[in-house]
């Protein structure tokens, strides 16, 4: 008996998606940093991406990187190039220098702290400077890049590995020919000004795929790296959330168990105030309906990001209950219901201790993680 709720993860499909994207981007001379942040440092996910040929792993949480680095299940993980893709907190520089090879940075104060720590640990830490190109999340303003580089290259035990940008995360600004050319030009200017060479010019995330794959090689310019998570995990591009041709969109499936199934009125009875999570939409009276409750809730996933199977509709959710309406009456207690997830639902479910993880490889269960 395997616990519910659980995520079933098909590592063969994951491997296929990663292999495809690595190959398609390779044609444009772009390497893939496989982003694992939605998977809570899952060793299974990380090893699968490495097996598929990503050039390294990226994660926003140093604790995930530490978990992957210290895994003794796959030797590849100890040796893999690991990139912290969120600017380090000052309070974690010791861990960053210890476990990450590269970190993405925007604050000189942090890079100075990384330098001090790297000297202390007798290591060289590599830095990517992130540049703000319109999306208004992290990034050094383009005009401040050269003065920042000047300071970074003078710091002991710090190596300027490259520059990068991140778009389409906060404001939805699309990567396009113009902003990618701007990043390329900045790379050239840094190199000629300081007579150095930048190994990595990292153009962005899954939202860059359309730009990268529909361009001829010349237009990719200096961009030679993308940090890709969602497109590998869910097989979708992220600007319009359309499936990517030829990729699997069902690597992950959330399975939850029915704990109640009854005929109930569709209309609540009594005076209406707020519910557990705030205001509720008014309900239309549809007479008696088949209400089905599943033992999964907001603590486990994002109910708004679940795609229910045919004949079932989600009508409400609280911490631990998912309320659904069924078109037919033969939904029974103990029965399992399977959902496809969007990125938000996946992120929360993969990082919830309450959701068991069941990994399949070569059509066989290869690993199960259950909490409690
Ligand atoms: C999350 C993240 C990525 C990966 O984004 P996806 O949409 O999952 O491909 C890349 N870079 C940074 C800085 C991120 O925070």
């Amino acid at each position: 008996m395997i616990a519910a709720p659980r995520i079933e993860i098909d590592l063969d499909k994951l491997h296929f998606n990663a292999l495809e994207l690595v190959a398609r981007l390779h044609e444009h001379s772009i390497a893939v940093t496989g982003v694992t942040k939605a998977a809570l440092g899952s060793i299974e996910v990380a090893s699968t991406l490495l097996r598929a040929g990503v050039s390294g792993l990226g994660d926003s949480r140093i604790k995930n990187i530490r978990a992957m680095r210290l895994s003794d299940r796959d030797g590849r993980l100890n040796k893999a190039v690991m990139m912290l893709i969120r600017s380090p907190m000052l309070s974690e520089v010791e861990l960053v220098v210890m476990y990450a090879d590269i970190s993405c940075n925007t604050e000189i104060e942090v890079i100075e702290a990384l330098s001090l720590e790297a000297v202390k640990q007798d290591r060289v830490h590599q830095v990517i400077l992130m540049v703000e190109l319109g999306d208004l999340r992290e990034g050094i303003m383009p005009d401040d890049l050269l003065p920042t580089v000047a300071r970074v290259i003078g710091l002991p035990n710090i190596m300027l590995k490259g520059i990068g940008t991140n778009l389409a995360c906060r404001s939805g600004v699309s990567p396009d020919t113009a902003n990618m050319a701007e990043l390329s030009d900045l790379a050239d200017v840094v190199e000629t000004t300081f007579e150095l060479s930048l190994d990595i010019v990292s153009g962005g995330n899954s939202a860059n795929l359309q730009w990268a794959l529909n361009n001829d090689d010349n237009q990719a310019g200096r961009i030679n790296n993308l940090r890709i998570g969602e497109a590998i995990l869910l097989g979708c591009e992220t600007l319009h959330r359309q499936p990517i041709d030829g990729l699997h969109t069902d690597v992950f499936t959330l399975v939850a168990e029915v704990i109640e199934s009854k005929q109930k009125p569709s209309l609540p009875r009594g005076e209406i105030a707020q519910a557990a999570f705030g205001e509720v939409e008014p309900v239309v009276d549809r007479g008696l309906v088949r209400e089905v409750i599943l033992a999964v809730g907001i603590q486990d996933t994002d109910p708004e990001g679940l795609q229910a199977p045919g004949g079932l509709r989600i009508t409400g959710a609280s911490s631990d209950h998912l309320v659904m309406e069924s078109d037919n009456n033969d939904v029974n207690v103990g029965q399992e219901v399977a959902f496809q997830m969007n990125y938000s639902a996946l992120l929360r479910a993969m990082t919830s201790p309450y959701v068991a993880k069941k990994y399949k490889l070569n059509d066989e269960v290869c690993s199960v993680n259950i909490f409690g």
Side-chain angles (χ1 to χ4, degrees):
M1 186 65 186
I2 286 177
R6 67 176 176 275
I7 298 192
E8 300 193 344
I9 303 138
D10 188 323
L11 294 175
D12 298 301
K13 288 180 177 170
L14 180 68
H15 182 252
F16 179 88
N17 282 1
L19 203 63
E20 269 298 302
L21 287 175
V22 166
R24 291 185 200 181
L25 286 166
H26 180 73
E27 305 223 331
H28 300 262
S29 307
I30 295 175
V32 175
T33 295
V35 174
T36 48
K37 69 185 179 207
L40 194 67
S42 155
I43 307 304
E44 291 83 357
V45 168
S47 319
T48 304
L49 300 187
L50 288 172
R51 218 160 29 87
V54 298
S55 64
L57 298 171
D59 206 292
S60 47
R61 311 268 170 160
I62 194 63
K63 288 184 175 170
N64 289 346
I65 288 181
R66 178 174 60 184
M68 296 188 288
R69 180 72 81 200
L70 296 181
S71 139
D72 51 11
R73 258 191 286 169
D74 183 348
R76 259 182 303 241
L77 279 167
N78 311 122
K79 295 192 279 301
V81 174
M82 297 206 188
M83 184 193 288
L84 182 68
I85 59 175
R86 183 175 69 181
S87 183
M89 292 184 262
L90 276 176
S91 57
E92 67 185 6
V93 292
E94 185 182 349
L95 292 179
V96 174
V97 169
M98 197 169 292
Y99 296 114
D101 304 286
I102 312 175
S103 60
C104 296
N105 285 271
T106 61
E107 292 285 358
I108 191 71
E109 195 181 343
V110 174
I111 306 170
E112 284 168 353
L114 289 167
S115 169
L116 280 176
E117 185 60 37
V119 170
K120 208 195 270 175
Q121 294 185 27
D122 194 21
R123 286 170 192 260
V124 172
H125 185 73
Q126 301 165 28
V127 161
I128 290 186
L129 291 177
M130 298 296 278
V131 187
E132 153 56 36
L133 291 180
D135 199 51
L136 299 180
R137 205 180 69 175
E138 76 272 35
I140 299 164
M141 294 304 288
D143 284 348
D144 297 330
L145 182 61
L146 292 183
T148 308
V149 170
R151 292 180 66 180
V152 169
I153 58 181
L155 291 172
N157 296 40
I158 292 291
M159 178 190 165
L160 180 62
K161 185 73 173 168
I163 62 171
T165 195
N166 194 65
L167 297 169
C169 269
R170 182 195 157 188
S171 313
V173 172
S174 303
D176 59 21
T177 318
N179 48 39
M180 288 298 105
E182 198 178 340
L183 187 66
S184 274
D185 290 347
L186 285 169
D188 288 338
V189 172
V190 167
E191 289 186 344
T192 48
T193 307
F194 297 97
E195 294 180 344
L196 49 78
S197 81
L198 298 172
D199 282 355
I200 296 181
V201 182
S202 187
N205 52 50
S206 294
N208 286 63
L209 283 173
Q210 241 168 355
W211 163 82
L213 298 175
N214 299 329
N215 266 331
D216 59 42
D217 294 343
N218 301 337
Q219 280 176 299
R222 293 291 313 275
I223 314 301
N224 62 6
N225 171 274
L226 290 176
R227 310 171 305 273
I228 308 279
E230 181 170 348
I232 297 176
L233 303 176
L234 293 180
C236 276
E237 55 84 33
T238 56
L239 290 174
H240 309 286
R241 297 257 150 49
Q242 294 302 309
I244 298 173
D245 219 22
L247 296 199
H248 297 290
T249 55
D250 57 351
V251 172
F252 298 87
T253 306
L254 180 69
V255 180
E257 186 175 325
V258 175
I259 53 172
E260 184 184 308
S261 173
K262 293 186 195 305
Q263 289 272 15
K264 289 188 185 179
S266 47
L267 209 58
R269 185 158 61 89
E271 197 180 322
I272 305 288
Q274 288 195 357
F277 289 85
E279 301 293 339
V280 205
E281 297 277 310
V283 186
V284 184
D285 190 357
R286 282 156 289 121
L288 277 179
V289 294
R290 166 64 49 166
E291 186 182 280
V292 175
I293 301 179
L294 277 68
V296 67
I298 292 169
Q299 288 197 78
D300 309 285
T301 189
D302 175 4
E304 304 206 342
L306 297 179
Q307 195 186 315
L312 281 167
R313 281 173 310 285
I314 297 171
T315 51
S318 54
S319 317
D320 312 290
H321 295 81
L322 188 71
V323 183
M324 304 188 76
E325 236 172 75
S326 171
D327 287 342
N328 60 58
N329 288 332
D330 57 356
V331 182
N332 301 311
V333 169
Q335 193 173 321
E336 292 188 333
V337 179
F339 300 86
Q340 293 305 302
M341 290 172 282
N342 72 5
Y343 189 70
S344 168
L346 173 72
L347 180 74
R348 217 186 284 172
M350 280 302 287
T351 55
S352 167
Y354 302 115
V355 180
K357 319 293 184 296
K358 177 180 161 192
Y359 294 92
K360 277 197 302 188
L361 185 61
N362 301 326
D363 284 328
E364 279 178 32
V365 177
C366 66
S367 166
V368 182
N369 300 336
I370 301 174
F371 161 77

